[in-house]
Amino acid sequence: MKKDNDLQPLIEAYFDETISEEQRAELERALIHDPEAARRFVRAARLDNALRLHFNRRAAEAAAVAALKRAGLDPTPQAVSIPRWARTVDHLWGPLGAVLAHAALILLLVRWVVLPVFTSSPSPPVEVEVGREERMRLDPFQIHDHPSLSRGADTMPPPLNAPEFAVMPPDPHALSVPRASPPNVVIRDGRLWSEPIWMRNRTESHRSALLARYAPEWADRTEPALDAALEWLRRARHAEGGWSEDPHASRDPALTALATLAFLARGEPLTSIQSDISALVDSQEPGGGWRSLENGADALGIGACALIEAWARVPLPPLRRAAELAVERLIQEQDTAGLWPGADPWALSWRVLALRMAVWANLDVHGGRAGLSRLAGGLKTIEDPAGGLYEGERPSSKAIERLAVVALALQWLGEERSPEARKTLATLSRVRMNDPLNPFIRHVLAQIRFNAGGDHWIKERGVLADILLAGRESDGGWRRESSALDGRVRTTSLAVLTLTVCYRYPPAAEWPAWPVAGARPPAFTHGPILAALRLGPVP
Amino acid sequence: MNPSERGRVEPMDRQAEFLTHFLRHQDDIRAVIGSMLRDPAAADDIFQDVALVLWKKYDEFDTTRSFGAWARGIAVRQVWQSFERRRRAPVPLAPETLNALLRAFDEESESPAHAEREEALRRCIAKLPEKSRRLLEMRYEAQMKLREMAERLSTTLDATHKALSRLREALRRCIEQELAAG
């Protein structure tokens, strides 16, 4: 039987394709007769595969960043615009700030650099060189074997702060664009896909990064509240899945879809809401819609949204078909102006979003793009935004609701620079987050402010968090609003959707353009779907 | 498509079950294919074929058996068939060797979870000096042959191979240490 020390070079040579015929025969004999040799080979094969996937994904990300840069988009986190007063304060504070900053830097240097030099022995140098007379030192790994380095928090390797897109400087001679091979894939329609980028933004690490970018003061306050809110929603759920405000009433499809979207917004695994999605799919009528409950909210738009998001997370054919049924129903119900006669702001909002996401996710629905085109035109005719209704000092609550939904829909459709949208957004700028607003309007306004960015968002995000967090009960859920419609499941779900605005979707301006005929769905990227699913061990 | 023609949706349990199995074992399926096919593009093609075959044959899968073993067996057959279809040179490993490897894959179950291993690998690679990372990039990202790498580095084929071997060994140890440290 071959010794380990003799066998490993053969395995390495095999994977490096430098193995000779004699060595190959020797290796095969060892693999057949020595189970330990075969296990070593398996470990080598797994590492070889992991390395390929790692570098393939990194290169794919680098290529995506390069493509975004070529398209004039900066994919790196950008500082939000700073208001003038803040710049002025910053300017005045400058000299004092510089002195304090230098003092802090010196303290840090003394604490973390100078003192350790005198209090501990220096680490061996880290160097790996390849020369004609091959020499190599692998100290970063060997030092872990040093007896003085017992395992424990103090001796753990330093934390890694490498940004996600940190790549080596490109060398056009050495590197090439990798072949596309997603590391984690799923099957849809006989093809392999991985999760869309807007779902990926909801994983924990991305959430932190996006909160740091868009609302840095939120993370410590809102994220624990969101955990508690989802826990409350779990407790309020029917045993067989789905929600209703009255636990003894039958499940409400619109409410079930709303709460499901709240879980999806937080990046929860589909397995944790499978019964709720099943409830939604089971209660879908053959025509694609849902039976409206008495005094209940319209379920078609929000139901379609929940199914599309669920399908985008895990592209199972039944989910896709259910989502397509709902979207087809939406399109069928559009009038010639692209609108839905009789739809209230709630219904309009979710229906626009559903249609927009269906096209974004490339669902197989007939007339999706045409429906969106009609809708973009129809929205601009609602109540004639250029006319008198919005010219008053301050619109009424009902007008704000309608106005906000139209403005948000225009943002989603890439029409935020149209005269109608500008006028509408200007009018809405007079509305403040601390005005008496119902949870739905506040949710819509939060999205509008986030999409628009700039001063309005910076000024109001703190107020938004204050107001929303003030609505919490001690059990983690949100309290009922005065309106009969706004029960606790609804207010809690809407609060979750509002407080996840920074990562639920990218700002509307970054959504891919939709009218381009024949465009490939741009939303899919190499995402860690396994991590997103958080699948447990298979029994 | 007419919604009424599409009919009602079928139960999703079966698909979800398949997806769960597939996602859990896809790395080993890739590893099996990659150990037989050293051309990454060809290995990717076969992997996609294998995924489709697994999905089509999933109804025949005996749930009392190991999905991983079943999938890896199909992967090996797919590689063999691809060689026969394309009339390429024989598969680099004999059938007896492949059987031994499949048994080893079954016995050598990978733990902990894939995500943790991936994260450990990422941390270990980040700790490498730049020159070592460049070496790995040339091999695994640019998919260069060792001879090409040796020419670019102005060194010998043997030196390049030894450097890569030691790097991989170091990574293996580092990953185990990272995982053990939790």
Side-chain angles (χ1 to χ4, degrees):
Chain A
M1 202 162 291
K2 205 161 178 61
K3 287 179 184 172
D4 289 350
N5 289 345
D6 300 331
L7 181 68
Q8 195 62 34
L10 294 182
I11 295 175
E12 297 289 341
Y14 176 84
F15 282 100
D16 276 342
E17 300 168 87
T18 55
I19 195 166
S20 67
E21 281 307 311
E22 294 76 26
Q23 287 174 320
R24 183 192 301 277
E26 192 178 352
L27 174 63
E28 292 212 50
R29 276 197 299 278
L31 293 176
I32 292 169
H33 298 297
D34 180 4
E36 179 52 31
R39 283 195 287 272
R40 275 175 163 266
F41 186 94
V42 164
R43 288 195 285 271
R46 281 177 173 149
L47 178 63
D48 181 76
N49 179 57
L51 282 166
R52 286 191 189 284
L53 292 179
H54 172 86
F55 283 101
N56 191 297
R57 177 171 52 237
R58 216 190 57 157
E61 288 172 348
V65 171
L68 284 171
K69 283 182 175 167
R70 280 198 301 276
L73 299 169
D74 185 0
T76 54
Q78 295 168 351
V80 290
S81 60
I82 300 170
R84 179 172 294 175
W85 64 266
R87 286 199 297 270
T88 307
V89 170
D90 185 54
H91 180 72
L92 292 173
W93 190 77
L96 176 62
V99 170
L100 291 175
H102 279 91
L105 187 63
I106 289 167
L107 282 173
L108 285 173
L109 282 171
V110 169
R111 170 65 184 84
W112 296 106
V113 179
V114 178
L115 285 179
V117 165
F118 291 103
T119 55
S120 65
S121 56
S123 297
V126 169
E127 183 183 348
V128 172
E129 284 187 1
V130 181
R132 233 169 233 296
E133 302 164 356
E134 183 268 333
R135 64 183 190 278
M136 193 165 183
R137 290 200 305 240
L138 295 165
D139 302 322
F141 303 99
Q142 288 166 352
I143 58 173
H144 290 289
D145 293 330
H146 195 282
S148 67
L149 294 178
S150 60
R151 213 170 293 294
D154 293 336
T155 56
M156 291 286 285
L160 298 159
N161 297 315
E164 186 187 2
F165 291 125
V167 293
M168 302 300 295
D171 178 349
H173 301 295
L175 304 179
S176 59
V177 176
R179 296 175 180 88
S181 70
N184 294 300
V185 293
V186 290
I187 300 174
R188 174 157 53 85
D189 290 346
R191 297 182 62 193
L192 298 172
W193 296 85
S194 53
E195 66 175 351
I197 195 163
W198 40 282
M199 284 292 183
R200 189 185 179 194
N201 284 348
R202 302 172 184 189
T203 56
E204 197 167 351
S205 58
H206 288 80
R207 288 203 308 259
S208 304
L210 289 168
L211 279 173
R213 176 178 176 183
Y214 292 119
E217 70 278 21
W218 275 24
D220 291 342
R221 304 177 63 205
T222 59
E223 291 293 284
L226 291 172
D227 286 334
L230 293 188
E231 199 50 47
W232 184 88
L233 283 172
R234 284 191 188 97
R235 293 197 298 271
R237 166 160 57 191
H238 281 232
E240 66 277 22
W243 283 268
S244 60
E245 294 293 3
D246 176 357
H248 304 296
S250 56
R251 293 173 295 187
D252 181 341
L255 207 57
T256 297
L258 180 66
T260 301
L261 282 171
F263 279 88
L264 287 164
R266 200 80 203 305
E268 288 290 307
L270 204 64
T271 46
S272 71
I273 44 172
Q274 190 165 338
S275 61
D276 313 308
I277 293 167
S278 295
L280 206 56
V281 171
D282 290 344
S283 60
Q284 191 180 24
E285 294 177 331
W290 284 267
R291 186 174 55 83
S292 286
L293 299 183
E294 192 177 353
N295 297 325
D298 174 79
L300 180 56
I302 194 167
C305 286
L307 289 176
I308 293 169
E309 286 204 5
W311 168 75
R313 170 65 63 77
V314 181
L316 300 174
L319 286 179
R320 192 204 70 181
R321 284 197 292 276
E324 286 172 356
L325 275 173
V327 175
E328 282 174 356
R329 176 68 178 269
L330 281 177
I331 295 169
Q332 286 167 6
E333 290 190 1
Q334 276 185 297
D335 64 13
T336 51
L339 301 171
W340 292 275
D344 59 13
W346 165 276
L348 181 64
S349 163
W350 292 112
R351 288 178 178 211
V352 173
L353 181 61
L355 202 48
R356 181 68 180 83
M357 286 208 304
V359 172
W360 188 357
N362 215 29
L363 275 183
D364 180 21
V365 287
H366 179 68
R369 290 174 191 275
L372 271 182
S373 293
R374 291 206 311 279
L375 183 57
L379 283 168
K380 295 176 187 172
T381 68
I382 292 182
E383 300 283 2
D384 185 13
L389 177 61
Y390 306 129
E391 291 293 318
E393 187 61 29
R394 189 175 174 283
S396 68
S397 290
K398 281 198 174 301
I400 291 173
E401 192 171 63
R402 192 165 50 229
L403 191 63
V405 165
V406 170
L408 181 58
L410 289 171
Q411 285 181 329
W412 284 337
L413 298 181
E415 294 281 347
E416 72 278 8
R417 294 185 186 280
S418 67
E420 294 84 358
R422 283 171 182 269
K423 189 112 181 165
T424 315
L425 289 168
T427 305
L428 283 172
S429 68
R430 295 201 292 274
V431 182
R432 296 281 173 261
M433 285 293 178
N434 51 4
D435 286 346
L437 305 170
N438 72 44
F440 175 62
I441 302 182
R442 193 167 281 124
H443 170 55
V444 174
L445 274 178
Q447 291 178 86
I448 291 171
R449 297 282 195 266
F450 172 72
N451 285 333
D455 289 355
H456 270 306
W457 170 250
I458 293 168
K459 282 177 188 168
E460 294 214 288
R461 65 190 185 201
V463 178
L464 176 65
D466 289 343
I467 289 174
L468 280 170
L469 292 176
R472 294 177 67 208
E473 297 277 20
S474 57
D475 59 6
W478 259 254
R479 61 174 159 264
R480 180 189 299 275
E481 292 283 320
S482 54
S483 158
L485 197 61
D486 288 322
R488 294 197 70 193
V489 174
R490 180 175 150 113
T491 53
T492 303
S493 302
L494 281 170
V496 172
L497 292 181
T498 307
L499 290 175
T500 53
V501 68
C502 296
Y503 48 78
R504 189 168 154 227
Y505 303 118
E510 295 176 16
W511 292 18
W514 53 268
V516 183
R520 287 175 61 81
F524 291 90
T525 183
H526 301 167
I529 194 164
L530 194 66
L533 278 166
R534 294 181 204 156
L535 292 170
V538 178
Chain B
M1 198 179 296
N2 185 341
S4 60
E5 290 172 2
R6 202 195 301 276
R8 295 300 304 149
V9 294
E10 55 189 325
M12 56 186 280
D13 292 356
R14 192 72 174 156
Q15 288 91 336
E17 185 184 273
F18 171 78
L19 194 62
T20 306
H21 285 313
F22 181 76
L23 290 172
R24 183 169 166 76
H25 293 284
Q26 61 170 333
D27 279 356
D28 261 4
I29 298 169
R30 278 185 185 276
V32 167
I33 297 168
S35 65
M36 296 171 71
L37 275 173
R38 300 304 298 150
D39 174 3
D44 281 345
D45 288 347
I46 295 291
F47 176 73
Q48 299 212 7
D49 291 345
V50 169
L52 289 180
V53 171
L54 291 174
W55 173 238
K56 285 177 187 167
K57 288 182 177 288
Y58 189 58
D59 282 339
E60 301 168 17
F61 169 59
D62 176 1
T63 51
T64 60
R65 287 185 58 204
S66 155
F67 179 89
W70 176 68
R72 288 190 291 268
I74 287 181
V76 167
R77 280 199 293 280
Q78 284 296 118
V79 177
W80 273 100
Q81 284 173 11
S82 80
F83 273 80
E84 285 172 6
R85 272 200 308 272
R86 297 173 196 178
R87 295 167 188 264
R88 290 186 185 177
V91 180
L93 297 172
E96 302 81 28
T97 313
L98 289 172
N99 283 334
L101 289 178
L102 285 176
R103 278 197 300 276
F105 265 106
D106 296 345
E107 293 164 7
E108 187 79 356
S109 61
E110 195 172 36
S111 65
H114 158 78
E116 287 175 51
R117 285 194 166 272
E118 190 178 272
E119 181 57 25
L121 174 64
R122 193 184 69 78
R123 284 199 295 270
C124 291
I125 289 174
K127 285 189 216 168
L128 288 173
E130 183 174 336
K131 284 181 180 175
S132 302
R133 277 205 299 269
R134 290 300 302 270
L135 203 63
L136 291 174
E137 284 169 0
M138 291 167 84
R139 178 67 179 142
Y140 293 103
E141 189 169 313
Q143 296 169 4
M144 292 167 73
K145 297 281 185 192
L146 256 65
R147 189 166 300 283
E148 199 180 345
M149 288 172 63
E151 284 171 11
R152 182 136 319 158
L153 296 168
S154 302
T155 185
T156 63
L157 181 66
D158 187 51
T160 310
H161 168 61
K162 282 182 178 166
L164 267 176
S165 298
R166 291 188 184 184
L167 256 180
R168 284 189 293 250
E169 179 55 32
L171 282 173
R172 252 192 297 273
R173 288 215 311 273
C174 174
I175 290 169
E176 294 309 320
Q177 285 169 355
E178 288 280 336
L179 292 174

